[in-house]
Amino acid sequence: MNEEPTAPVLHDPSRHDFASDNWAGAHPRVMAALAAANGGHQPGYGEDAYTARLRETVRRHFGPDAEPYPVFNGTGANLVALQAMAARWQSVICPDSAHLHTDETAAPEHAGLKLLTVPAPDGKLTPEALRRYTRDLGNMHHAQPGVVSVSQTTELGTCYTPQELKALAAEAHAHGLRLHLDGARLTNAAATLGVPLARLTTEAGVDVVSFGATKNGALYGDCVIVLDPDAVSGLAYVKKATTQLPSKARFVSAQLLALLDDELWLENARHSNAMATLLADGLSTVPGVRLAHPVESNAVFAVLPDELAQRLRRRYAFSTWDPDRGLVRLMTAFDTTRQDVERFVEAARDLAG
């Protein structure tokens, strides 16, 4: 009898780090959904049964006009959304800490999108700050703002409340601007605030969402969700032109269905948030360690003494956020365990002593 070949395992599957939630693997239910979608043939480019089902599921969460466009990744989702929302002469207003500005390797600029960055110490853009950037509307010598883009959660792990988003949307719309939400961790914000996804998007006046799945337990793939069809133009063509049209779209859609159909998104987000809170509570007791921002999602920002950070890095991976301040970022994921957190805190306490 011929045996199935065994794939090599090239890493230690028991190791959990705190560098990023996209270091985690895929949730077993997501992997099961992929296996279930794998048999036989299905039409390509989004004409399959899974993408059709995804449309129904997305509308249940985001409203009857919501239209999903599965893509490969978050940067792609942002580019597709913003190119479809902004005219060639328009710019995008965003916080200076936005992933769009700091971590997408000038992809927006390569796509012809000028970014107008706004200082935001807590990661949040306010109507008052936005108002200062709308004074140039109508001035032909200045890039015309067309879209406002904010991240939920912010790059500092903080959350916009539904009221804050409503106020921001109202200010943007009053000036004829559209509101885009980079929702790489939208699920974590909804879990923290205890509200449905629609409360932070459709009901708040958001026009288009880049919905993140990869950081919430998917293998790969995210989704552009258009909430107001009048906010975009030619999105399907932009998606193809920017190489974000999966030929086998059913495998992205199947993962999104696994997360959205049975509230797995919420289960994963609640767990990762809880592990971040546990981590923050533990680190706050370590001598010399100071929490830098409120822990409102699955991100912990802490100031560590240099020597302690160096020693910890010999055992664990985590990100340096601001080396001048000793600020680091630690991320938890759906598969972070209480034991992972307790071991890290114990190691920090031992090394600090």
Side-chain angles (χ1 to χ4, degrees), residues 45 80 235-245:
Y45 305 108
V80 168
L235 190 145
Y237 303 104
V238 173
K239 183 179 169 184
K240 175 66 174 181
T242 53
T243 70
Q244 285 293 321
L245 176 62

Side-chain angles (χ1 to χ4, degrees), residues 242-257:
T242 53
T243 70
Q244 285 293 321
L245 176 62
S247 59
K248 297 182 180 181
R250 61 169 151 159
F251 295 112
V252 181
S253 297
Q255 296 178 76
L256 290 161
L257 286 172

Side-chain angles (χ1 to χ4, degrees), residues 214-346:
T214 305
K215 293 178 171 65
N216 190 232
L219 182 65
Y220 74 96
D222 290 333
C223 191
V224 177
I225 302 176
V226 176
L227 304 175
D228 181 355
D230 293 331
V232 297
S233 176
L235 190 145
Y237 303 104
V238 173
K239 183 179 169 184
K240 175 66 174 181
T242 53
T243 70
Q244 285 293 321
L245 176 62
S247 59
K248 297 182 180 181
R250 61 169 151 159
F251 295 112
V252 181
S253 297
Q255 296 178 76
L256 290 161
L257 286 172
L259 291 171
L260 290 169
D261 262 348
D262 297 319
E263 307 300 314
L264 178 59
W265 69 271
L266 184 56
E267 177 184 324
N268 287 350
R270 281 175 174 166
H271 177 79
S272 59
N273 289 355
M275 292 301 100
T277 298
L278 183 67
L279 177 60
D281 290 345
L283 286 176
S284 66
T285 67
V286 177
V289 174
R290 177 174 59 84
L291 298 180
H293 297 290
V295 178
E296 298 179 355
S297 58
N298 64 324
V300 177
F301 287 84
V303 177
L304 270 60
D306 287 342
E307 186 174 353
L308 173 59
Q310 291 174 14
R311 289 177 175 178
L312 274 172
R313 282 198 176 88
R314 294 171 190 158
R315 304 187 192 182
Y316 294 95
F318 51 91
S319 299
T320 299
W321 201 258
D322 184 345
D324 294 332
R325 296 171 54 198
L327 182 64
V328 303
R329 186 191 74 167
L330 301 111
M331 300 296 302
T332 53
F334 77 91
D335 61 349
T336 303
T337 67
R338 176 176 288 270
Q339 188 177 49
D340 294 330
V341 172
E342 290 172 347
R343 284 175 175 171
F344 183 88
V345 171
E346 183 180 356

